[in-house]
Amino acid sequence: MASQVNGHSSGSDAQGGKSLREDLQEFLGGEALLHELDDLTKVNPVTLETVLRCLQARYAADMFYTSAGCTLVALNPFKPVPQLYSPALMREYHAAPQPQKLRPHIFAVGEQTYRNVQSLIEPVNQSIIVSGESGAGKTWTSRCLMKFYAVVAASPTSLESHKIAERIEQRILNSNPVMEAFGNACTLRNNNSSRFGKFIQLQLNSAQQMTGAAVQTYLLEKTRVTCQASSERNFHIFYQICKGASVDERLQWHLPEGASFSWLPNPERTLEEDCFQVTREAMLHLGIDIPTQNNIFQVLAGLLHLGNIWFADSKDEAQSCQLMDDAKCSIRTSASLLQLPEDPLLETLQIRTIRAGRQQQVFQKPCSRAECDTRRDCLAKLVYARLFDWLVSVINSSICADPDSWTTFIGLLDVYGFESFPSNSLEQLCINYANEKLQQHFVAHYLRAQQEEYAVEGLDWSFVNYQDNQACLDLIEGSPISICSLINEECRLNRPSSAAQLQTRIESTLAGSPCLGHNKLSREPSFIVVHYAGPVQYHTAGLVEKNKDPVPPELTRLLQQSQDPLLKVLFPMDPEEKSQEEPSGQSRAPVLTVVSKFKASLEQLLQVLHSTTPHYIRCIKPNSQGQAHTFLQEEVLSQLEACGLVETIHISAAGFPIRIPHQNFVERYELLRRLCTRTSPGSHSPSPDEGHSEWSPHTKGATLQPLLQDILHTLPALTQAAATPGDPAEATPVPVHCGRTKVFMTDSMLELLECGRAQVLEQCACCIQGSWRRHRHRKQERQRQAATLIQAAIRSWLARKHIQRMHAAATAIKRTWQKWRIRMAFLASKELDGVQEKHVSQVPLPLGSLLLPQAQTSLLEAIIRLWPLGLVLANAAVGVRGFQRKLVVWACLQLPMGNPSSYAVQTAQEQAGVTSIRALPQGSIKFHCRKSPLPYADICPEPSLHSVTGFNQILLERHSLGHM
Ligand code: ADP
Ligand code: MG
C-alpha cells in the first residue's frame, strides 16, 4: 500500500504517465466502448491514433461500416457476410423513419440519396463518390447499391418496372468484368488496379423508378498497352486471351502456347482476374456476340504481335530503318490479324508524311529508329483506346434509357485513388489532379457539415484557421501559369525541349508556390508536387510527348484501310473527320492535349457533382493480401491519408476536436474548483466564453450550470499559471466554448485542464499520504506499547509460576524428608535402645577419636544400601545434622574409611548458598498466550544468570567435592 502511494507521488514516470493517459482516454472515448462509436469524428480526441484504433476495434467486432462525419468508411471484410446485404436488411433501411439513426451502412447512404430524390428539394440529383484503392471494395459497394436501388427504386405494384430495374442492374453488373478486363491491370500496389475512372448515372423517372443508366469513363491509361513498369502487367485482357484461348482460337489468333511477347511481361503470374470465360460471358450478356468477341480478340492478338516489331538503326538518314530479322514474321502476322496490307503498314511505321506549303505539298521523311518505335506504339494505343471507348458505348447502348423517360438521377463515381509510384508521369499527374479536385469538393462539403454541427450547438465559429488545397490546385491548373499551362505551352510551341529544360522552366516560373518541391538527389529531371495526401515526384522525361499524344494522320488513314469489321467500326471513313484531321499539325488551331482534354472532362464531372448532393463512401482495404480478420494499421493509415480522411481529422483539429458532454465535463473537472479557491481566493474572473456561451433553459443538465460556470472560472487562472512570465498568454482568449450540450475545446486546453486536475490530485495525494503516515505511526506506537505490556505480564506470570512450582517441590521434599526422618529416628532409636540395653555401663567415646562400635557399623551399612536417599539427605537444608550427615556423605561417596583424619567432609549447607549448579536455559522461550498480539509477544527473554529460568537438573559435582 505504502509503496503504491510512493510510486505515485514520486511519479514513477512511464507507468504513472501511461496509466494517466489511459485514464484520460477512457474518460474521453471510453476504451471499452471504442468499437461502439459509429462516427469517427466523435472519437475523443479526434486524432489518427484513436481513429485507427476505433476502426480496428470495429473491424474486430465485425462492424465494417463507420461514419466519418458526412462520409461512410467501408472496411473490406474479405469474407462473405450475407446477413449484411440481405433483402430483409434493405427493406429495414428503406422502411426506417430515420435511416441515418440506424447503424452506418451503404444502405443508409443509398436510402438517404433516394429520399433526397423523393423530397424534390434542390439539388434533387444525388451523387455517391466511392473511392479507394483497387480491391478495397468499390465495385462491391457499387454492386450493393445497385441491388438496393433495384429493390427500392422499382414500383411495388408494377412487375414490369421491377424487371426493367433488374435488367439494368444486371447489365451494369455485367459491364464490370468487361471493363475490368480491358481497363484494369496488375500494378505494384494492386493486382486489380483500375486504370480509368467511371461514373455511372442511374436514371429515375418522376415516380423515382429506375429506367436506365449511363456510364462515363475517364482517362484510360492507354500507355500501359505498350509500356509497363517492371513487375507490373499489361491490361488483364491480353493475359486472358493468351491463357484462356482454345486450341482453335490459338491457331486463329496466332498465339501458340509459350509464345513470348514484349508487351506481355510477367506472363507466368496467374491472377484470379485472368478468367477469360467470365469476360466472354459478360460480353455476351451485354449483347456482344461470339463473332464480334472473336474479332476483338483477334485485333488484340494483332497488337501483341505488333509489339514484337523491332527496327534496326539506319546507317543513312535518307534511308528508312530496316526490320530486325525476328520482326519480319511479326509484322506479317500482325498485318494479317489486323487485316491491314503488310507493306503500307511497314511503310507507315518507317516513313513520316509531312505536308508543307500553301499547296499542302506532301513530303516523306524516313523516321529514326526511336521514331519508328513511337509510331508503332502510337498505332497500338490508338487501336486500344478506340476499342475501349467502343466497348463503353456498347454498354451504354444496352442500358441507356430514352432521355425523356427520366427526370432525376443518382450518380455513382467509382474513382481511382491518389497514386504515388517510384516513377510517376502524366497519368499520375492527371489522376492526382483529379483527386485534388475531388478533395477540394469534399473538404468544402465537410466544412459545411462541420459548421452545421457548430451551429446546432450554438457556436459561431468559422473555419478561418483551415487552409484547403487551393494552393496545390493553383500550382497544377492555375491561371495564367501552372504546371498544366507550361506543359501545354511546350506542346503548342512544338519546339524541341529536353526533360531538364522543362524541369528548369517549371521550377523557375512556379518557384513561389509552397506546393512545389525539388528532389536534389534525383538523377532524372523531375519536380515534386506536395499533394494533400503527400508529396509525389513526377519525372519530366516524356511528359510533353505524352501530353501531345500525337496521332500521325497516316496512322489513322492506314487503319481506315483495314478490312477487319471491328477496325472498320473503330476507324470509319468519315469525310468530316478526314477534313478535320488532314490539316492537323500544320494549322494554328489550339492543340488538344491530353491534359486539356482531361481538364475539360474533369470540369464537366465536377459540374455534375456540384449540381448534386454529394455522399462519400471511402473503401478501405485492411490488408493487401485479401485476408479476413487481418487489420494492418500502416496500410489502413496510408489509405486514410489518400482518401482525405486524415484531412478530415485535421479539419476537426483546426476547430475544437475535443467535445465533452456537460455531465462528463463536470464530473471530471469539478475538483478544479479547489485549485481556484487556493490560487486566487475570493477572485472570480469572468467566464472565458462569455461572448459565446449560451445557456439554453431547456438544457438537460440545468443543475450543472452553476458547477460548470465555477469550473470555467478557474480556466483563466489555470492559463495564467501555465504561461511563462512575460508570455502574452493572458491576452489570448481561453480556447473553450460551451455549446448547448457539450463543451468544445482544443487539445492544448484539454492538456491544461488535465494539468490542473493532476495538480489537485497531487495535493490530495499528499494530504492522504500525510494522514496515512500519521495513522500508521500511531498504530505502530500503540502496538509497541501493547507488546511491552504483554511481555512484562508474561514474564511476571512465568516467574510466579516458577516460584510456585519450586515452592510445591520444596514442600513435597520437606514432607517426605520429615516422614523419612521420623522413620529413621524411630529405627535409630529402636536400634540404640537395643545397644544401650547391652552396654548400659559403657561411657560413649567422642566421635572420631575411637574405633566405631558394632552398632555404628551396621548403621553405616544400612545407610550405604540406601545411598540415593542419602544423597537427598546430605543436600537437604534441614534434617540430619553433624555426624549423621557426614556419615551419609561418606557412605554415598564410598570414601575409604581407614584413616578419617586424612580428609574432612564438609557439606555445602554448613556454609552458605546452594551446592548445585543450575544449567542455563538453551534457546529462547516462546510465550504463546491466547488473545495476545502474537508477533509482539514472540520475544526472547534476556538470558540472565540471576533470573529464574525453569526447573533444572541438579548436579552434584563429585569432582569438586572430592577436593573439599
Ligand atoms: P474494387 O472494385 O475496389 O477494386 P472489389 O469491389 O472488386 O474492389 O472488391 C475486391 C474483393 O473484396 C471482392 O472480390 C470481394 O471478394 C471482397 N469484398 C469487397 N467488399 C466486400 C464486402 N462488403 N463483403 C465481402 N467481401 C467483399
Ligand atoms: Mg473494382
Side-chain angles (χ1 to χ4, degrees):
M1 183 77 182
S3 71
Q4 260 185 357
V5 172
N6 290 339
H8 267 287
S9 64
S10 64
S12 161
D13 301 331
Q15 212 179 347
K18 188 166 176 269
S19 65
L20 275 178
R21 221 178 25 248
E22 277 169 4
D23 170 50
L24 180 62
Q25 183 60 51
E26 212 168 286
F27 162 67
L28 291 174
E31 183 74 1
L33 303 175
L34 207 54
H35 69 276
E36 284 174 17
L37 272 179
D38 52 20
D39 194 333
L40 290 181
T41 57
K42 299 224 164 25
V43 297
N44 239 337
V46 189
T47 60
L48 263 182
E49 194 195 330
T50 34
V51 162
L52 261 183
R53 286 228 311 276
C54 177
L55 280 179
Q56 190 163 14
R58 288 179 70 79
Y59 190 67
D62 273 4
M63 294 177 182
F64 303 107
Y65 294 106
T66 311
S67 299
C70 57
T71 314
L72 180 77
V73 178
L75 289 167
N76 189 339
F78 284 123
K79 64 172 184 183
V81 198
Q83 71 279 9
L84 212 53
Y85 307 102
S86 65
L89 199 68
M90 288 184 196
R91 281 191 291 274
E92 190 185 327
Y93 275 89
H94 186 48
Q98 285 181 301
Q100 65 276 17
K101 292 255 166 95
L102 298 179
R103 282 198 290 174
H105 198 289
I106 44 173
F107 295 160
V109 179
E111 182 57 28
Q112 192 58 51
T113 53
Y114 192 65
R115 287 190 192 188
N116 288 357
V117 172
Q118 279 180 321
S119 71
L120 295 178
I121 298 169
E122 285 297 331
V124 180
N125 295 328
Q126 308 288 309
S127 55
I128 302 176
I129 299 149
V130 187
S131 62
E133 273 195 15
S134 195
K138 298 186 294 292
T139 310
W140 181 286
T141 303
S142 310
R143 201 177 300 161
C144 286
L145 282 168
M146 307 289 307
K147 282 188 181 155
F148 180 76
Y149 290 124
V151 170
V152 304
S155 163
T157 49
S158 160
L159 194 68
E160 184 70 12
S161 86
H162 188 79
K163 275 191 179 157
I164 293 173
E166 253 192 0
R167 199 183 65 227
I168 287 164
E169 180 219 3
Q170 201 52 47
R171 287 198 177 162
I172 295 169
L173 297 186
N174 277 322
S175 73
N176 279 321
V178 179
M179 289 180 100
E180 287 189 11
F182 285 82
N184 285 21
C186 170
T187 66
L188 285 179
R189 286 257 188 91
N190 205 298
N191 286 351
N192 186 31
S193 171
S194 298
R195 310 314 303 158
F196 68 103
K198 183 170 65 176
F199 184 69
I200 305 172
Q201 191 182 47
L202 304 173
Q203 299 154 344
L204 307 171
N205 63 13
S206 52
Q208 290 85 46
Q209 292 155 3
M210 210 192 316
T211 56
V215 179
Q216 193 183 344
T217 58
Y218 298 93
L219 197 78
L220 174 77
E221 191 193 61
K222 60 184 176 185
T223 42
R224 188 168 286 271
V225 178
T226 61
C227 179
Q228 308 81 27
S230 61
S231 306
E232 293 200 354
R233 298 204 324 178
N234 206 327
F235 291 104
H236 294 325
I237 190 66
F238 290 107
Y239 298 87
Q240 290 185 2
I241 345 172
C242 290
K243 290 178 183 182
S246 65
V247 179
D248 283 352
E249 286 165 346
R250 282 182 188 287
L251 275 176
Q252 206 182 327
W253 302 333
H254 297 272
L255 296 174
E257 200 100 43
S260 81
F261 296 100
S262 52
W263 286 349
L264 207 67
N266 308 308
E268 66 291 341
R269 272 181 75 182
T270 300
L271 307 178
E272 64 178 273
E273 284 77 19
D274 299 340
C275 39
F276 191 36
Q277 215 44 45
V278 174
T279 309
R280 287 205 123 186
E281 274 166 28
M283 287 171 104
L284 203 61
H285 283 121
L286 288 172
I288 305 170
D289 56 20
I290 300 288
T292 315
Q293 288 183 21
N294 286 342
N295 197 171
I296 293 169
F297 303 134
Q298 183 184 313
V299 169
L300 292 178
L303 295 187
L304 281 180
H305 283 280
L306 196 68
N308 282 1
I309 298 172
W310 293 101
F311 294 90
D313 275 322
S314 165
K315 287 173 194 117
D316 181 359
E317 261 191 33
Q319 295 289 313
S320 52
C321 299
Q322 291 306 303
L323 282 175
M324 304 271 261
D325 287 344
D326 314 349
K328 284 176 186 151
C329 175
S330 298
I331 198 153
R332 196 169 310 126
T333 318
S334 180
S336 101
L337 287 167
L338 298 172
Q339 298 212 33
L340 289 169
E342 187 184 333
D343 290 339
L345 170 62
L346 183 60
E347 206 174 286
T348 316
L349 296 181
Q350 286 171 321
I351 297 165
R352 186 154 44 118
T353 309
I354 305 164
R355 283 165 194 268
R358 279 194 188 161
Q359 269 77 43
Q360 294 281 296
Q361 282 175 298
V362 178
F363 300 95
Q364 291 203 318
K365 191 176 179 290
C367 298
S368 67
R369 185 185 153 186
E371 282 171 332
C372 290
D373 289 349
T374 311
R375 287 166 83 82
R376 176 204 58 202
D377 292 357
C378 184
L379 186 73
K381 287 190 279 186
L382 184 63
V383 173
Y384 196 83
R386 292 250 178 136
L387 176 61
F388 188 78
D389 289 344
W390 176 79
L391 278 170
V392 175
S393 70
V394 169
I395 291 167
N396 271 332
S397 62
S398 76
I399 54 175
C400 218
D402 181 0
D404 299 332
S405 68
W406 60 275
T407 51
T408 50
F409 71 85
I410 296 172
L412 279 175
L413 182 66
D414 180 343
V415 72
Y416 26 47
F418 178 84
E419 281 188 352
S420 174
F421 293 111
S423 172
N424 303 290
S425 191
L426 192 72
E427 294 80 12
Q428 280 70 43
L429 184 65
C430 288
I431 288 173
N432 293 343
Y433 165 41
N435 276 283
E436 283 288 352
K437 274 286 206 195
L438 290 170
Q439 175 66 8
Q440 193 183 42
H441 177 255
F442 166 67
V443 165
H445 181 70
Y446 181 73
L447 284 181
R448 218 176 302 130
Q450 284 276 293
Q451 250 160 346
E452 273 166 22
E453 193 191 341
Y454 284 108
V456 166
E457 281 285 334
L459 300 190
D460 174 25
W461 188 74
S462 55
F463 288 78
V464 279
N465 298 345
Y466 186 73
Q467 287 278 314
D468 76 351
N469 57 343
Q470 189 56 49
C472 187
L473 278 169
D474 286 345
L475 173 69
I476 299 173
E477 55 149 28
S479 179
I481 294 172
S482 60
I483 292 173
C484 285
S485 76
L486 285 173
I487 302 171
N488 280 344
E489 195 180 63
E490 289 297 312
C491 298
R492 191 172 53 80
L493 294 175
N494 211 11
R495 62 184 177 197
S497 98
S498 70
Q501 274 175 326
L502 180 62
Q503 178 194 339
T504 322
R505 209 160 290 150
I506 289 174
E507 279 176 359
S508 59
T509 325
L510 300 166
S513 171
C515 297
L516 185 73
H518 171 56
N519 182 2
K520 286 182 185 144
L521 300 174
S522 171
R523 279 202 225 128
E524 289 172 56
S526 62
F527 60 92
I528 292 174
V529 176
V530 184
H531 290 283
Y532 72 93
V536 180
Q537 183 177 7
Y538 299 97
H539 290 133
T540 48
L543 212 62
V544 174
E545 275 305 298
K546 274 189 183 174
N547 188 33
K548 239 191 261 176
D549 193 24
V551 180
E554 52 271 37
L555 287 188
T556 322
R557 271 198 302 274
L558 171 77
L559 288 166
Q560 282 168 344
Q561 290 171 32
S562 168
Q563 295 307 305
D564 182 81
L566 178 68
L567 287 181
K568 277 187 175 202
V569 175
L570 298 183
F571 299 92
M573 282 292 265
D574 191 329
E576 255 181 62
E577 196 177 289
K578 205 176 171 188
S579 63
Q580 261 183 10
E581 273 186 7
E582 290 207 338
S584 75
Q586 274 70 44
S587 79
R588 287 277 135 223
V591 183
L592 214 52
T593 61
V594 169
V595 165
S596 49
K597 273 192 270 183
F598 183 69
K599 202 172 159 189
S601 66
L602 192 61
E603 261 155 27
Q604 207 187 338
L605 172 70
L606 280 158
Q607 257 179 11
V608 173
L609 295 184
H610 280 305
S611 68
T612 58
T613 308
H615 305 263
Y616 293 89
I617 300 179
R618 307 303 205 193
C619 297
I620 305 282
K621 234 170 23 168
N623 63 79
S624 46
Q625 290 78 40
Q627 287 170 346
H629 310 290
T630 311
F631 188 97
L632 302 179
Q633 286 204 345
E634 301 85 67
E635 289 192 19
V636 173
L637 187 62
S638 75
Q639 290 173 69
L640 291 179
E641 268 168 4
C643 74
L645 267 170
V646 174
E647 202 71 357
T648 320
I649 292 160
H650 289 160
I651 295 170
S652 292
F656 299 106
I658 318 281
R659 295 125 200 234
I660 305 170
H662 289 167
Q663 175 78 37
N664 296 10
F665 184 83
V666 168
E667 272 169 19
R668 188 168 180 90
Y669 299 113
E670 197 183 349
L671 41 75
L672 285 182
R673 295 187 306 155
R674 293 166 174 239
L675 200 68
C676 183
T677 47
R678 208 159 298 173
T679 50
S680 53
S683 78
H684 259 223
S685 33
S687 162
D689 191 27
E690 260 170 7
H692 300 286
S693 168
E694 246 181 57
W695 294 100
S696 154
H698 55 260
T699 306
K700 190 181 153 204
T703 49
L704 294 173
Q705 287 179 30
L707 282 173
L708 199 53
Q709 287 294 354
D710 264 8
I711 300 167
L712 292 174
H713 283 140
T714 65
L715 299 184
L718 260 181
T719 343
Q720 272 168 28
T724 48
D727 197 7
E730 295 165 41
T732 57
V734 179
V736 178
H737 290 258
C738 273
R740 290 198 169 95
T741 60
K742 290 175 193 167
V743 179
F744 289 69
M745 67 182 86
T746 58
D747 281 328
S748 61
M749 194 61 232
L750 180 76
E751 218 169 277
L752 211 64
L753 279 169
E754 282 300 311
C755 268
R757 189 171 173 271
Q759 211 178 319
V760 176
L761 286 177
E762 203 176 292
Q763 285 169 1
C764 293
C766 285
C767 183
I768 293 168
Q769 275 178 24
S771 308
W772 165 250
R773 286 208 187 101
R774 204 166 39 248
H775 163 76
R776 199 176 47 161
H777 183 76
R778 279 188 194 152
K779 193 175 163 190
Q780 278 176 350
E781 189 55 32
R782 275 202 306 274
Q783 282 175 343
R784 211 175 59 77
Q785 283 173 3
T788 315
L789 205 68
I790 291 164
Q791 279 176 22
I794 287 177
R795 277 206 193 99
S796 68
W797 175 76
L798 283 173
R800 258 200 319 279
K801 238 2 202 177
H802 180 73
I803 303 260
Q804 277 169 4
R805 263 158 61 199
M806 292 293 283
H807 211 268
T811 315
I813 290 168
K814 202 166 116 186
R815 211 176 291 128
T816 313
W817 164 246
Q818 275 170 355
K819 268 191 219 163
W820 183 79
R821 196 181 57 164
I822 293 164
R823 201 160 163 220
M824 288 300 280
F826 169 72
L827 285 173
S829 65
K830 217 173 156 190
E831 275 196 37
L832 282 174
D833 284 349
V835 172
Q836 274 177 348
E837 275 172 20
K838 278 182 186 174
H839 308 282
V840 73
S841 56
Q842 280 182 5
V843 180
L845 291 168
L847 195 70
S849 62
L850 295 172
L851 279 174
L852 286 170
Q854 184 59 39
Q856 280 185 340
T857 311
S858 45
L859 178 63
L860 263 178
E861 279 168 9
I863 290 169
I864 287 162
R865 262 181 272 124
L866 294 165
W867 78 266
L869 266 176
L871 197 64
V872 175
L873 177 70
N875 284 289
V878 287
V880 184
R881 284 192 194 91
F883 173 70
Q884 280 182 347
R885 181 183 290 263
K886 280 181 183 168
L887 265 181
V888 171
V889 173
W890 270 325
C892 293
L893 298 179
Q894 295 184 356
L895 297 172
M897 304 279 280
N899 187 8
S901 60
S902 60
Y903 47 79
V905 171
Q906 196 175 32
T907 56
Q909 283 90 343
E910 289 170 350
Q911 289 152 17
V914 180
T915 330
S916 67
I917 298 164
R918 295 176 191 273
L920 287 175
Q922 303 295 309
S924 64
I925 294 171
K926 295 188 180 184
F927 302 102
H928 293 275
C929 301
R930 275 191 183 185
K931 294 185 183 174
S932 71
L934 283 177
Y936 301 95
D938 185 6
I939 279 169
C940 173
E942 267 180 14
S944 158
L945 283 170
H946 310 293
S947 62
V948 181
T949 53
F951 198 78
N952 298 309
Q953 197 178 355
I954 301 168
L955 296 172
L956 190 67
E957 269 188 89
R958 177 180 171 161
H959 174 75
S960 57
L961 279 174
H963 291 282
M964 276 184 225

